[in-house]
Amino acid sequence: MVELWLLRHGATEWARNGRHTGRTDLPLIEEGEAEARALAPVLAGHRFAGVLVSPLQRAQRTCALAGLASQAQPCPDLQEWDYGRHEGITTAEIRAHTPHWSLWRDGCPGGESAPAVQQRCERVIAQAEALALSMAGPGDQPMDQKVALFAHGHILRSLAGTWLGLGAQGGALLSLATGTISVLGQEREQRTILRWNVPNHSL
C-alpha cells in the first residue's frame, strides 16, 4: 500500500494572476510562504519513505518551509508543464487568438503535449513506488510507505490522472489550489484518490 502525498507549492505572483508559470523560476510571495509554513504541523505527524521535489525554487522553498528539506531529492520530472509560447500569459489571452484552446487537449506550441507529460508522470510514479517499497520491511506499517511530492498545479493534476488510469488529460477534471495537500492511494487493488485539494487546516 503506497500513498503519494501531492503538495502544491505556495502562491506566486503569476499563480495569483492566472498566468501560466512553467519553467519560469518565480519565488513564493508572502502569502505563499505562509501557506507553505502551514503545511509543517500537518506533515510532522507523518513519516515519509521519501520526498521528491521539483527543482524549481517555488517547490523547493515550499518543501523547506514545510519541514521536509532534509529528505528532499530533486526530481526533474516533477517540473511544471513546459508551456512553450504560452508561458507567462493567461488562458483568456491565449483564447483571444486561439478560440476554445485547452491545455489538456491541445498542449502548448513550442512546449509539451499531454502524452509527453504523461510519460513524465509515469516515471515519477515508478520512482515514488520504488522509494516506498525500498523502505518497507516486514515490520513496517503502511504509514512507512508514504512518499511526498512537492510540485506544481498542472503536473500534479496530470500525475493524479495518470495514477487513476485516465492519462495526463484526466487532470482536467481536478482543480488544485496552492498550498494544498492531496493523497493518492489504493482501495484493495484499485488506485484511488484518498484526499484532494485539502486546505491544510482541515486535516
Side-chain angles (χ1 to χ4, degrees):
M1 295 290 289
V2 175
E3 289 186 3
L4 304 185
W5 284 54
L6 312 185
L7 300 119
R8 186 180 175 192
H9 62 74
T12 66
E13 181 181 354
W14 283 14
R16 282 291 166 262
N17 295 333
R19 297 167 68 181
H20 287 85
T21 318
R23 306 302 168 85
T24 304
D25 202 8
L26 295 180
L28 300 181
I29 59 176
E30 184 177 349
E31 177 187 350
E33 297 231 339
E35 288 176 333
R37 288 189 193 94
L39 297 172
V42 179
L43 299 179
H46 299 271
R47 177 181 170 188
F48 292 94
V51 178
L52 300 177
V53 189
S54 162
L56 297 174
Q57 67 169 311
R58 55 193 185 273
Q60 296 276 337
R61 178 65 171 163
T62 298
C63 178
L65 292 174
L68 294 182
S70 64
Q71 287 184 263
Q73 300 180 41
C75 180
D77 280 330
L78 277 177
Q79 290 187 86
E80 184 58 290
W81 279 57
D82 182 348
Y83 297 121
R85 294 197 292 275
H86 293 336
E87 180 78 8
I89 58 178
T90 67
T91 296
E93 291 170 327
I94 296 166
R95 288 180 174 174
H97 57 77
T98 309
H100 312 299
W101 173 81
S102 166
L103 170 71
W104 309 99
R105 182 188 63 241
D106 304 319
C108 300
E112 286 186 295
S113 65
V117 171
Q118 183 174 331
Q119 290 181 352
R120 290 204 279 130
C121 291
E122 289 169 351
R123 291 196 296 266
V124 171
I125 290 170
Q127 183 178 357
E129 288 183 323
L131 261 178
L133 295 175
S134 72
M135 297 294 292
D140 283 349
Q141 299 299 313
M143 68 179 297
D144 297 332
Q145 297 181 42
K146 297 172 183 175
V147 177
L149 309 176
F150 286 84
H152 316 274
H154 280 142
I155 190 64
L156 292 177
R157 291 168 65 180
S158 301
L159 193 145
T162 302
W163 178 263
L164 295 173
L166 303 174
Q169 290 177 313
L173 305 174
L174 301 166
S175 179
L176 190 61
T178 56
T180 53
I181 298 173
S182 302
V183 184
L184 307 178
Q186 292 175 275
E187 184 180 44
R188 300 182 178 87
E189 71 283 355
Q190 180 67 52
R191 286 181 171 182
T192 62
I193 294 176
L194 303 180
R195 296 184 179 91
W196 189 259
N197 201 30
V198 180
N200 57 72
H201 61 75
S202 68
L203 271 176

